[in-house]
mmCIF file of all heavy atoms in Angstrom:
data_model
loop_
_atom_site.group_PDB
_atom_site.id
_atom_site.type_symbol
_atom_site.label_atom_id
_atom_site.label_comp_id
_atom_site.label_asym_id
_atom_site.label_seq_id
_atom_site.Cartn_x
_atom_site.Cartn_y
_atom_site.Cartn_z
ATOM 1 N N ARG A 1473 0.547 7.875 -13.337
ATOM 2 C CA ARG A 1473 0.243 6.842 -14.322
ATOM 3 C C ARG A 1473 1.383 6.651 -15.314
ATOM 4 O O ARG A 1473 1.763 5.528 -15.628
ATOM 5 C CB ARG A 1473 -1.040 7.193 -15.066
ATOM 6 C CG ARG A 1473 -2.309 7.015 -14.253
ATOM 7 C CD ARG A 1473 -3.502 7.513 -15.035
ATOM 8 N NE ARG A 1473 -4.771 7.139 -14.424
ATOM 9 C CZ ARG A 1473 -5.958 7.559 -14.834
ATOM 10 N NH1 ARG A 1473 -6.039 8.386 -15.865
ATOM 11 N NH2 ARG A 1473 -7.058 7.169 -14.227
ATOM 12 N N LYS A 1474 1.916 7.743 -15.801
ATOM 13 C CA LYS A 1474 2.947 7.639 -16.828
ATOM 14 C C LYS A 1474 4.248 7.065 -16.293
ATOM 15 O O LYS A 1474 5.040 6.520 -17.049
ATOM 16 C CB LYS A 1474 3.195 8.995 -17.488
ATOM 17 C CG LYS A 1474 3.702 10.072 -16.564
ATOM 18 C CD LYS A 1474 3.810 11.391 -17.304
ATOM 19 C CE LYS A 1474 4.275 12.509 -16.399
ATOM 20 N NZ LYS A 1474 4.344 13.798 -17.132
ATOM 21 N N GLN A 1475 4.463 7.185 -15.006
ATOM 22 C CA GLN A 1475 5.665 6.645 -14.391
ATOM 23 C C GLN A 1475 5.453 5.293 -13.709
ATOM 24 O O GLN A 1475 6.418 4.683 -13.251
ATOM 25 C CB GLN A 1475 6.231 7.636 -13.367
ATOM 26 C CG GLN A 1475 6.747 8.925 -13.966
ATOM 27 C CD GLN A 1475 7.299 9.857 -12.915
ATOM 28 O OE1 GLN A 1475 6.600 10.283 -12.003
ATOM 29 N NE2 GLN A 1475 8.584 10.169 -13.033
ATOM 30 N N ASN A 1476 4.204 4.845 -13.627
ATOM 31 C CA ASN A 1476 3.865 3.639 -12.874
ATOM 32 C C ASN A 1476 4.407 3.725 -11.451
ATOM 33 O O ASN A 1476 5.051 2.801 -10.945
ATOM 34 C CB ASN A 1476 4.369 2.380 -13.578
ATOM 35 C CG ASN A 1476 3.451 1.927 -14.699
ATOM 36 O OD1 ASN A 1476 2.625 2.682 -15.193
ATOM 37 N ND2 ASN A 1476 3.596 0.668 -15.097
ATOM 38 N N MET A 1477 4.137 4.847 -10.826
ATOM 39 C CA MET A 1477 4.632 5.105 -9.485
ATOM 40 C C MET A 1477 3.479 5.472 -8.554
ATOM 41 O O MET A 1477 2.511 6.110 -8.967
ATOM 42 C CB MET A 1477 5.636 6.253 -9.485
ATOM 43 C CG MET A 1477 6.898 5.982 -10.278
ATOM 44 S SD MET A 1477 8.048 4.914 -9.390
ATOM 45 C CE MET A 1477 8.597 6.043 -8.112
ATOM 46 N N VAL A 1478 3.612 5.069 -7.317
ATOM 47 C CA VAL A 1478 2.713 5.485 -6.261
ATOM 48 C C VAL A 1478 3.550 6.059 -5.138
ATOM 49 O O VAL A 1478 4.602 5.513 -4.796
ATOM 50 C CB VAL A 1478 1.842 4.320 -5.761
ATOM 51 C CG1 VAL A 1478 1.015 4.740 -4.546
ATOM 52 C CG2 VAL A 1478 0.913 3.843 -6.869
ATOM 53 N N TYR A 1479 3.070 7.137 -4.562
ATOM 54 C CA TYR A 1479 3.812 7.833 -3.524
ATOM 55 C C TYR A 1479 3.009 7.899 -2.238
ATOM 56 O O TYR A 1479 1.787 7.897 -2.242
ATOM 57 C CB TYR A 1479 4.145 9.256 -3.967
ATOM 58 C CG TYR A 1479 4.892 9.322 -5.268
ATOM 59 C CD1 TYR A 1479 4.225 9.559 -6.471
ATOM 60 C CD2 TYR A 1479 6.266 9.128 -5.314
ATOM 61 C CE1 TYR A 1479 4.904 9.609 -7.668
ATOM 62 C CE2 TYR A 1479 6.954 9.180 -6.509
ATOM 63 C CZ TYR A 1479 6.276 9.424 -7.681
ATOM 64 O OH TYR A 1479 6.956 9.470 -8.872
ATOM 65 N N LEU A 1480 3.725 7.962 -1.143
ATOM 66 C CA LEU A 1480 3.117 8.227 0.138
ATOM 67 C C LEU A 1480 3.872 9.379 0.781
ATOM 68 O O LEU A 1480 5.008 9.209 1.225
ATOM 69 C CB LEU A 1480 3.151 6.997 1.048
ATOM 70 C CG LEU A 1480 2.425 7.159 2.385
ATOM 71 C CD1 LEU A 1480 0.914 7.272 2.165
ATOM 72 C CD2 LEU A 1480 2.733 5.984 3.315
ATOM 73 N N GLN A 1481 3.243 10.533 0.788
ATOM 74 C CA GLN A 1481 3.813 11.694 1.450
ATOM 75 C C GLN A 1481 3.415 11.647 2.911
ATOM 76 O O GLN A 1481 2.228 11.652 3.236
ATOM 77 C CB GLN A 1481 3.308 12.986 0.804
ATOM 78 C CG GLN A 1481 3.822 14.256 1.462
ATOM 79 C CD GLN A 1481 5.309 14.433 1.307
ATOM 80 O OE1 GLN A 1481 5.839 14.251 0.210
ATOM 81 N NE2 GLN A 1481 5.998 14.767 2.400
ATOM 82 N N MET A 1482 4.394 11.593 3.786
ATOM 83 C CA MET A 1482 4.164 11.471 5.213
ATOM 84 C C MET A 1482 4.645 12.738 5.900
ATOM 85 O O MET A 1482 5.839 13.054 5.872
ATOM 86 C CB MET A 1482 4.885 10.246 5.778
ATOM 87 C CG MET A 1482 4.531 8.944 5.067
ATOM 88 S SD MET A 1482 5.230 7.492 5.889
ATOM 89 C CE MET A 1482 6.979 7.831 5.667
ATOM 90 N N ASN A 1483 3.726 13.440 6.510
ATOM 91 C CA ASN A 1483 4.033 14.661 7.237
ATOM 92 C C ASN A 1483 3.692 14.495 8.707
ATOM 93 O O ASN A 1483 2.957 13.592 9.094
ATOM 94 C CB ASN A 1483 3.251 15.842 6.659
ATOM 95 C CG ASN A 1483 3.573 16.130 5.216
ATOM 96 O OD1 ASN A 1483 4.708 15.952 4.767
ATOM 97 N ND2 ASN A 1483 2.580 16.597 4.465
ATOM 98 N N SER A 1484 4.208 15.397 9.511
ATOM 99 C CA SER A 1484 3.933 15.392 10.955
ATOM 100 C C SER A 1484 4.158 14.016 11.559
ATOM 101 O O SER A 1484 3.324 13.490 12.301
ATOM 102 C CB SER A 1484 2.498 15.867 11.218
ATOM 103 O OG SER A 1484 2.282 17.165 10.703
ATOM 104 N N LEU A 1485 5.291 13.449 11.263
ATOM 105 C CA LEU A 1485 5.561 12.075 11.675
ATOM 106 C C LEU A 1485 5.673 11.944 13.186
ATOM 107 O O LEU A 1485 6.180 12.837 13.871
ATOM 108 C CB LEU A 1485 6.831 11.575 11.005
ATOM 109 C CG LEU A 1485 6.633 11.191 9.536
ATOM 110 C CD1 LEU A 1485 7.967 11.131 8.819
ATOM 111 C CD2 LEU A 1485 5.908 9.858 9.425
ATOM 112 N N LYS A 1486 5.180 10.818 13.661
ATOM 113 C CA LYS A 1486 5.153 10.498 15.075
ATOM 114 C C LYS A 1486 5.983 9.242 15.334
ATOM 115 O O LYS A 1486 6.181 8.434 14.432
ATOM 116 C CB LYS A 1486 3.710 10.249 15.537
ATOM 117 C CG LYS A 1486 2.743 11.387 15.264
ATOM 118 C CD LYS A 1486 1.323 10.986 15.629
ATOM 119 C CE LYS A 1486 0.345 12.107 15.352
ATOM 120 N NZ LYS A 1486 -1.045 11.715 15.693
ATOM 121 N N PRO A 1487 6.439 9.052 16.566
ATOM 122 C CA PRO A 1487 7.203 7.836 16.865
ATOM 123 C C PRO A 1487 6.457 6.555 16.497
ATOM 124 O O PRO A 1487 7.087 5.587 16.056
ATOM 125 C CB PRO A 1487 7.439 7.933 18.373
ATOM 126 C CG PRO A 1487 7.460 9.400 18.642
ATOM 127 C CD PRO A 1487 6.422 9.974 17.716
ATOM 128 N N GLU A 1488 5.156 6.538 16.664
ATOM 129 C CA GLU A 1488 4.384 5.347 16.345
ATOM 130 C C GLU A 1488 4.303 5.051 14.852
ATOM 131 O O GLU A 1488 3.848 3.977 14.455
ATOM 132 C CB GLU A 1488 2.964 5.432 16.937
ATOM 133 C CG GLU A 1488 2.212 6.697 16.565
ATOM 134 C CD GLU A 1488 2.290 7.762 17.645
ATOM 135 O OE1 GLU A 1488 3.378 7.962 18.215
ATOM 136 O OE2 GLU A 1488 1.247 8.393 17.928
ATOM 137 N N ASP A 1489 4.751 5.982 14.025
ATOM 138 C CA ASP A 1489 4.843 5.727 12.596
ATOM 139 C C ASP A 1489 6.061 4.884 12.239
ATOM 140 O O ASP A 1489 6.187 4.438 11.092
ATOM 141 C CB ASP A 1489 4.909 7.039 11.813
ATOM 142 C CG ASP A 1489 3.650 7.873 11.955
ATOM 143 O OD1 ASP A 1489 2.540 7.295 11.949
ATOM 144 O OD2 ASP A 1489 3.774 9.111 12.064
ATOM 145 N N THR A 1490 6.942 4.694 13.187
ATOM 146 C CA THR A 1490 8.143 3.892 12.966
ATOM 147 C C THR A 1490 7.786 2.470 12.553
ATOM 148 O O THR A 1490 6.852 1.863 13.083
ATOM 149 C CB THR A 1490 9.006 3.860 14.233
ATOM 150 O OG1 THR A 1490 9.551 5.158 14.462
ATOM 151 C CG2 THR A 1490 10.148 2.859 14.110
ATOM 152 N N GLY A 1491 8.519 1.948 11.607
ATOM 153 C CA GLY A 1491 8.316 0.586 11.168
ATOM 154 C C GLY A 1491 8.601 0.446 9.697
ATOM 155 O O GLY A 1491 9.073 1.370 9.038
ATOM 156 N N THR A 1492 8.310 -0.716 9.190
ATOM 157 C CA THR A 1492 8.516 -1.000 7.777
ATOM 158 C C THR A 1492 7.246 -0.696 6.999
ATOM 159 O O THR A 1492 6.149 -1.091 7.400
ATOM 160 C CB THR A 1492 8.923 -2.457 7.563
ATOM 161 O OG1 THR A 1492 10.115 -2.728 8.312
ATOM 162 C CG2 THR A 1492 9.199 -2.737 6.093
ATOM 163 N N TYR A 1493 7.412 -0.005 5.904
ATOM 164 C CA TYR A 1493 6.295 0.321 5.032
ATOM 165 C C TYR A 1493 6.390 -0.511 3.761
ATOM 166 O O TYR A 1493 7.428 -0.540 3.098
ATOM 167 C CB TYR A 1493 6.287 1.812 4.703
ATOM 168 C CG TYR A 1493 5.812 2.644 5.861
ATOM 169 C CD1 TYR A 1493 6.673 2.930 6.921
ATOM 170 C CD2 TYR A 1493 4.505 3.115 5.930
ATOM 171 C CE1 TYR A 1493 6.231 3.661 8.006
ATOM 172 C CE2 TYR A 1493 4.063 3.849 7.004
ATOM 173 C CZ TYR A 1493 4.926 4.124 8.044
ATOM 174 O OH TYR A 1493 4.486 4.858 9.122
ATOM 175 N N TYR A 1494 5.294 -1.179 3.459
ATOM 176 C CA TYR A 1494 5.213 -2.049 2.306
ATOM 177 C C TYR A 1494 4.217 -1.500 1.297
ATOM 178 O O TYR A 1494 3.152 -1.010 1.666
ATOM 179 C CB TYR A 1494 4.755 -3.455 2.700
ATOM 180 C CG TYR A 1494 5.675 -4.170 3.651
ATOM 181 C CD1 TYR A 1494 5.526 -4.048 5.026
ATOM 182 C CD2 TYR A 1494 6.692 -4.988 3.167
ATOM 183 C CE1 TYR A 1494 6.362 -4.711 5.900
ATOM 184 C CE2 TYR A 1494 7.533 -5.663 4.036
ATOM 185 C CZ TYR A 1494 7.362 -5.520 5.400
ATOM 186 O OH TYR A 1494 8.189 -6.188 6.263
ATOM 187 N N CYS A 1495 4.561 -1.621 0.059
ATOM 188 C CA CYS A 1495 3.666 -1.303 -1.040
ATOM 189 C C CYS A 1495 3.116 -2.606 -1.595
ATOM 190 O O CYS A 1495 3.879 -3.543 -1.858
ATOM 191 C CB CYS A 1495 4.433 -0.536 -2.119
ATOM 192 S SG CYS A 1495 3.447 -0.066 -3.558
ATOM 193 N N ALA A 1496 1.816 -2.681 -1.760
ATOM 194 C CA ALA A 1496 1.182 -3.900 -2.230
ATOM 195 C C ALA A 1496 0.167 -3.595 -3.312
ATOM 196 O O ALA A 1496 -0.529 -2.579 -3.264
ATOM 197 C CB ALA A 1496 0.506 -4.633 -1.075
ATOM 198 N N LEU A 1497 0.081 -4.498 -4.278
ATOM 199 C CA LEU A 1497 -0.861 -4.381 -5.381
ATOM 200 C C LEU A 1497 -2.010 -5.346 -5.182
ATOM 201 O O LEU A 1497 -1.809 -6.502 -4.797
ATOM 202 C CB LEU A 1497 -0.172 -4.685 -6.710
ATOM 203 C CG LEU A 1497 0.582 -3.554 -7.415
ATOM 204 C CD1 LEU A 1497 1.680 -2.973 -6.544
ATOM 205 C CD2 LEU A 1497 1.157 -4.072 -8.737
ATOM 206 N N GLN A 1498 -3.187 -4.871 -5.474
ATOM 207 C CA GLN A 1498 -4.391 -5.667 -5.333
ATOM 208 C C GLN A 1498 -5.226 -5.550 -6.596
ATOM 209 O O GLN A 1498 -5.538 -4.440 -7.031
ATOM 210 C CB GLN A 1498 -5.204 -5.208 -4.124
ATOM 211 C CG GLN A 1498 -6.488 -5.980 -3.879
ATOM 212 C CD GLN A 1498 -7.315 -5.369 -2.760
ATOM 213 O OE1 GLN A 1498 -7.398 -4.151 -2.624
ATOM 214 N NE2 GLN A 1498 -7.931 -6.221 -1.951
ATOM 215 N N LYS A 1499 -5.613 -6.676 -7.168
ATOM 216 C CA LYS A 1499 -6.493 -6.664 -8.322
ATOM 217 C C LYS A 1499 -7.838 -6.053 -7.953
ATOM 218 O O LYS A 1499 -8.349 -6.262 -6.854
ATOM 219 C CB LYS A 1499 -6.699 -8.076 -8.858
ATOM 220 C CG LYS A 1499 -5.431 -8.733 -9.370
ATOM 221 C CD LYS A 1499 -5.686 -10.174 -9.789
ATOM 222 C CE LYS A 1499 -4.419 -10.839 -10.246
ATOM 223 N NZ LYS A 1499 -4.622 -12.264 -10.586
ATOM 224 N N GLN A 1500 -8.414 -5.322 -8.874
ATOM 225 C CA GLN A 1500 -9.657 -4.624 -8.587
ATOM 226 C C GLN A 1500 -10.834 -5.564 -8.380
ATOM 227 O O GLN A 1500 -11.835 -5.161 -7.798
ATOM 228 C CB GLN A 1500 -9.966 -3.619 -9.695
ATOM 229 C CG GLN A 1500 -9.004 -2.443 -9.712
ATOM 230 C CD GLN A 1500 -9.432 -1.352 -10.667
ATOM 231 O OE1 GLN A 1500 -10.260 -1.564 -11.546
ATOM 232 N NE2 GLN A 1500 -8.862 -0.175 -10.492
ATOM 233 N N ASP A 1501 -10.721 -6.796 -8.832
ATOM 234 C CA ASP A 1501 -11.787 -7.767 -8.615
ATOM 235 C C ASP A 1501 -11.541 -8.639 -7.384
ATOM 236 O O ASP A 1501 -12.134 -9.708 -7.245
ATOM 237 C CB ASP A 1501 -11.981 -8.651 -9.847
ATOM 238 C CG ASP A 1501 -10.745 -9.452 -10.219
ATOM 239 O OD1 ASP A 1501 -9.705 -9.301 -9.549
ATOM 240 O OD2 ASP A 1501 -10.820 -10.238 -11.183
ATOM 241 N N SER A 1502 -10.697 -8.173 -6.490
ATOM 242 C CA SER A 1502 -10.365 -8.915 -5.285
ATOM 243 C C SER A 1502 -11.585 -9.126 -4.395
ATOM 244 O O SER A 1502 -12.493 -8.296 -4.342
ATOM 245 C CB SER A 1502 -9.283 -8.185 -4.494
ATOM 246 O OG SER A 1502 -9.033 -8.822 -3.268
ATOM 247 N N ASP A 1503 -11.579 -10.246 -3.674
ATOM 248 C CA ASP A 1503 -12.617 -10.524 -2.685
ATOM 249 C C ASP A 1503 -12.356 -9.833 -1.360
ATOM 250 O O ASP A 1503 -13.200 -9.891 -0.465
ATOM 251 C CB ASP A 1503 -12.727 -12.029 -2.435
ATOM 252 C CG ASP A 1503 -13.221 -12.796 -3.638
ATOM 253 O OD1 ASP A 1503 -13.998 -12.224 -4.430
ATOM 254 O OD2 ASP A 1503 -12.841 -13.974 -3.786
ATOM 255 N N TYR A 1504 -11.218 -9.190 -1.216
ATOM 256 C CA TYR A 1504 -10.817 -8.550 0.028
ATOM 257 C C TYR A 1504 -10.780 -7.046 -0.130
ATOM 258 O O TYR A 1504 -10.614 -6.517 -1.230
ATOM 259 C CB TYR A 1504 -9.435 -9.044 0.464
ATOM 260 C CG TYR A 1504 -9.352 -10.529 0.718
ATOM 261 C CD1 TYR A 1504 -9.012 -11.398 -0.304
ATOM 262 C CD2 TYR A 1504 -9.612 -11.046 1.979
ATOM 263 C CE1 TYR A 1504 -8.936 -12.757 -0.079
ATOM 264 C CE2 TYR A 1504 -9.541 -12.405 2.215
ATOM 265 C CZ TYR A 1504 -9.199 -13.257 1.180
ATOM 266 O OH TYR A 1504 -9.122 -14.607 1.420
ATOM 267 N N ASP A 1505 -10.892 -6.359 1.011
ATOM 268 C CA ASP A 1505 -10.780 -4.908 0.955
ATOM 269 C C ASP A 1505 -9.312 -4.507 0.899
ATOM 270 O O ASP A 1505 -8.406 -5.324 1.032
ATOM 271 C CB ASP A 1505 -11.521 -4.240 2.128
ATOM 272 C CG ASP A 1505 -10.926 -4.545 3.483
ATOM 273 O OD1 ASP A 1505 -9.682 -4.522 3.628
ATOM 274 O OD2 ASP A 1505 -11.700 -4.785 4.426
ATOM 275 N N ALA A 1506 -9.076 -3.226 0.712
ATOM 276 C CA ALA A 1506 -7.739 -2.732 0.431
ATOM 277 C C ALA A 1506 -6.804 -2.754 1.624
ATOM 278 O O ALA A 1506 -5.592 -2.586 1.455
ATOM 279 C CB ALA A 1506 -7.813 -1.314 -0.126
ATOM 280 N N PHE A 1507 -7.319 -2.945 2.821
ATOM 281 C CA PHE A 1507 -6.490 -2.943 4.017
ATOM 282 C C PHE A 1507 -6.317 -4.333 4.607
ATOM 283 O O PHE A 1507 -5.897 -4.475 5.757
ATOM 284 C CB PHE A 1507 -7.078 -2.008 5.073
ATOM 285 C CG PHE A 1507 -6.787 -0.544 4.846
ATOM 286 C CD1 PHE A 1507 -6.231 -0.101 3.662
ATOM 287 C CD2 PHE A 1507 -7.075 0.389 5.826
ATOM 288 C CE1 PHE A 1507 -5.965 1.242 3.453
ATOM 289 C CE2 PHE A 1507 -6.813 1.733 5.630
ATOM 290 C CZ PHE A 1507 -6.260 2.162 4.442
ATOM 291 N N THR A 1508 -6.612 -5.346 3.849
ATOM 292 C CA THR A 1508 -6.463 -6.729 4.287
ATOM 293 C C THR A 1508 -5.226 -7.327 3.639
ATOM 294 O O THR A 1508 -5.209 -7.565 2.429
ATOM 295 C CB THR A 1508 -7.698 -7.561 3.919
ATOM 296 O OG1 THR A 1508 -8.855 -6.980 4.514
ATOM 297 C CG2 THR A 1508 -7.549 -8.992 4.414
ATOM 298 N N PRO A 1509 -4.174 -7.567 4.421
ATOM 299 C CA PRO A 1509 -2.919 -8.033 3.820
ATOM 300 C C PRO A 1509 -3.061 -9.278 2.956
ATOM 301 O O PRO A 1509 -2.441 -9.366 1.894
ATOM 302 C CB PRO A 1509 -2.031 -8.299 5.042
ATOM 303 C CG PRO A 1509 -2.526 -7.335 6.067
ATOM 304 C CD PRO A 1509 -4.019 -7.299 5.864
ATOM 305 N N ARG A 1510 -3.861 -10.238 3.389
ATOM 306 C CA ARG A 1510 -3.984 -11.494 2.648
ATOM 307 C C ARG A 1510 -4.682 -11.311 1.312
ATOM 308 O O ARG A 1510 -4.643 -12.212 0.478
ATOM 309 C CB ARG A 1510 -4.716 -12.541 3.480
ATOM 310 C CG ARG A 1510 -6.167 -12.204 3.796
ATOM 311 C CD ARG A 1510 -6.774 -13.275 4.680
ATOM 312 N NE ARG A 1510 -8.142 -12.939 5.077
ATOM 313 C CZ ARG A 1510 -8.896 -13.679 5.861
ATOM 314 N NH1 ARG A 1510 -8.417 -14.821 6.348
ATOM 315 N NH2 ARG A 1510 -10.124 -13.287 6.166
ATOM 316 N N GLY A 1511 -5.313 -10.172 1.111
ATOM 317 C CA GLY A 1511 -5.959 -9.889 -0.151
ATOM 318 C C GLY A 1511 -5.058 -9.264 -1.200
ATOM 319 O O GLY A 1511 -5.497 -9.045 -2.328
ATOM 320 N N MET A 1512 -3.814 -8.987 -0.835
ATOM 321 C CA MET A 1512 -2.886 -8.385 -1.776
ATOM 322 C C MET A 1512 -2.298 -9.436 -2.710
ATOM 323 O O MET A 1512 -2.031 -10.566 -2.299
ATOM 324 C CB MET A 1512 -1.755 -7.660 -1.046
ATOM 325 C CG MET A 1512 -2.235 -6.581 -0.075
ATOM 326 S SD MET A 1512 -3.165 -5.247 -0.877
ATOM 327 C CE MET A 1512 -4.832 -5.635 -0.289
ATOM 328 N N ASP A 1513 -2.081 -9.055 -3.950
ATOM 329 C CA ASP A 1513 -1.569 -9.978 -4.952
ATOM 330 C C ASP A 1513 -0.056 -9.909 -5.130
ATOM 331 O O ASP A 1513 0.578 -10.906 -5.467
ATOM 332 C CB ASP A 1513 -2.262 -9.713 -6.287
ATOM 333 C CG ASP A 1513 -3.742 -10.011 -6.236
ATOM 334 O OD1 ASP A 1513 -4.093 -11.199 -6.121
ATOM 335 O OD2 ASP A 1513 -4.550 -9.058 -6.301
ATOM 336 N N PHE A 1514 0.521 -8.749 -4.917
ATOM 337 C CA PHE A 1514 1.956 -8.570 -5.056
ATOM 338 C C PHE A 1514 2.455 -7.625 -3.986
ATOM 339 O O PHE A 1514 1.790 -6.642 -3.660
ATOM 340 C CB PHE A 1514 2.324 -8.026 -6.445
ATOM 341 C CG PHE A 1514 1.814 -8.863 -7.573
ATOM 342 C CD1 PHE A 1514 0.671 -8.506 -8.264
ATOM 343 C CD2 PHE A 1514 2.478 -10.018 -7.945
ATOM 344 C CE1 PHE A 1514 0.193 -9.276 -9.301
ATOM 345 C CE2 PHE A 1514 2.005 -10.803 -8.982
ATOM 346 C CZ PHE A 1514 0.863 -10.434 -9.663
ATOM 347 N N TRP A 1515 3.643 -7.919 -3.476
ATOM 348 C CA TRP A 1515 4.241 -7.142 -2.404
ATOM 349 C C TRP A 1515 5.650 -6.702 -2.757
ATOM 350 O O TRP A 1515 6.404 -7.436 -3.392
ATOM 351 C CB TRP A 1515 4.335 -7.972 -1.123
ATOM 352 C CG TRP A 1515 3.046 -8.256 -0.440
ATOM 353 C CD1 TRP A 1515 2.220 -9.312 -0.657
ATOM 354 C CD2 TRP A 1515 2.451 -7.485 0.606
ATOM 355 N NE1 TRP A 1515 1.135 -9.255 0.189
ATOM 356 C CE2 TRP A 1515 1.251 -8.148 0.972
ATOM 357 C CE3 TRP A 1515 2.808 -6.315 1.268
ATOM 358 C CZ2 TRP A 1515 0.416 -7.661 1.977
ATOM 359 C CZ3 TRP A 1515 1.979 -5.831 2.261
ATOM 360 C CH2 TRP A 1515 0.793 -6.509 2.609
ATOM 361 N N GLY A 1516 5.999 -5.520 -2.287
ATOM 362 C CA GLY A 1516 7.388 -5.137 -2.266
ATOM 363 C C GLY A 1516 8.056 -5.663 -1.010
ATOM 364 O O GLY A 1516 7.421 -6.261 -0.140
#
């Protein structure tokens, strides 16, 4: 919270984990669930 940072610790990585990872912000009053890309408000 104090750093305004979110982390993703990835262990035991597999070849299928390869790809681009995006961080996205979603307002808490969103009509979409957290895993729906179109429901995100801001993207890295």
Side-chain angles (χ1 to χ4, degrees):
R1473 287 175 169 173
K1474 62 184 178 181
Q1475 294 180 300
N1476 279 18
M1477 296 283 289
V1478 174
Y1479 304 97
L1480 185 68
Q1481 178 66 46
M1482 305 187 296
N1483 299 326
S1484 301
L1485 283 162
K1486 304 174 180 179
E1488 53 263 42
D1489 296 320
T1490 292
T1492 302
Y1493 285 79
Y1494 299 89
C1495 180
L1497 275 58
Q1498 180 186 38
K1499 297 176 182 177
Q1500 291 189 343
D1501 60 358
S1502 175
D1503 294 330
Y1504 299 90
D1505 65 43
F1507 281 10
T1508 302
R1510 65 183 176 181
M1512 303 299 108
D1513 295 291
F1514 304 100
W1515 289 89

